[in-house]
Amino acid sequence: MESSTISLFLTLSLVAATAAGQSSSEEYLDFLEAHNRARAEVGVQPLEWSNIVENFAVTYAQRPDNNCSLVESREAYGENQASRMGQLSAEDAVNIWVSEKPNYDYTSNSCVGGPCQNYTQVVWANSTELGCARQQCTNGLVFAICYYNPPGNFIGERPY
């Protein structure tokens, strides 16, 4: 294939994915890079993007009753959710979860001084795949969800 044909194909694929409600290539990279920065800080292998996992996130984010409330989806994946009024970029969402890092005490493998489960899922060493989605809700909030495969946060196990 000529480079112009490949470029056109990639552009059309990106437009089709964005129109279907999936993350744009820039947005999925923002989710992935923000996660992998946090994982690198603790020496954990980077996550890879999964279109399959992303499709589950898109489906959940676009559910008809989504008012951006943070309700556990009960999927087979690990998950993190965030919502905010106005703007919530992929990096903003990941930063919300990673901001729990000071609450995680590695020595006792527990949360101290506040929640840390969102952070420990971000850096869970056994999780290898990531899929995320963002959705603007009718009430003005923006909702973000990321799924992790395989899931993490098993009681008694350390994230890394």
Side-chain angles (χ1 to χ4, degrees):
M1 244 188 237
E2 291 180 28
S3 64
S4 61
T5 306
I6 292 171
S7 178
L8 177 60
F9 173 76
L10 292 174
T11 301
L12 291 174
S13 297
L14 177 60
V15 169
T18 304
Q22 296 174 325
S23 301
S24 71
S25 67
E26 183 178 308
E27 184 170 61
Y28 100 79
L29 286 174
D30 290 346
F31 274 117
L32 193 58
E33 289 172 359
H35 275 84
N36 287 337
R37 276 193 306 272
R39 294 170 69 85
E41 286 180 9
V42 294
V44 176
Q45 292 295 318
L47 294 167
E48 293 184 9
W49 191 261
S50 166
N51 291 328
I52 293 169
V53 177
E54 176 193 19
N55 286 335
F56 278 92
V58 168
T59 299
Y60 188 75
Q62 294 181 348
R63 69 194 188 281
D65 66 337
N66 186 4
N67 61 0
C68 290
S69 59
L70 305 180
V71 178
E72 189 176 342
S73 70
R74 306 268 185 217
E75 285 292 339
Y77 301 112
E79 77 180 60
N80 280 333
Q81 298 181 18
S83 67
R84 178 186 288 169
M85 185 62 73
Q87 299 292 323
L88 179 70
S89 69
E91 189 162 347
D92 291 339
V94 178
N95 287 340
I96 289 169
W97 306 323
V98 172
S99 73
E100 296 178 355
K101 181 179 182 176
N103 299 336
Y104 178 65
D105 179 60
Y106 188 84
T107 304
S108 65
N109 191 33
S110 63
C111 300
V112 292
C116 68
Q117 295 86 355
N118 292 307
Y119 168 71
T120 55
Q121 178 59 81
V122 168
V123 297
W124 197 265
N126 291 338
S127 295
T128 58
E129 295 181 317
L130 177 70
C132 305
R134 279 185 333 117
Q135 180 70 31
Q136 178 73 48
C137 298
T138 56
N139 60 5
L141 292 171
V142 179
F143 175 79
I145 184 167
C146 287
Y147 283 140
Y148 306 83
N149 185 41
N153 284 337
F154 293 103
I155 295 173
E157 292 185 27
R158 293 186 190 282
Y160 52 89

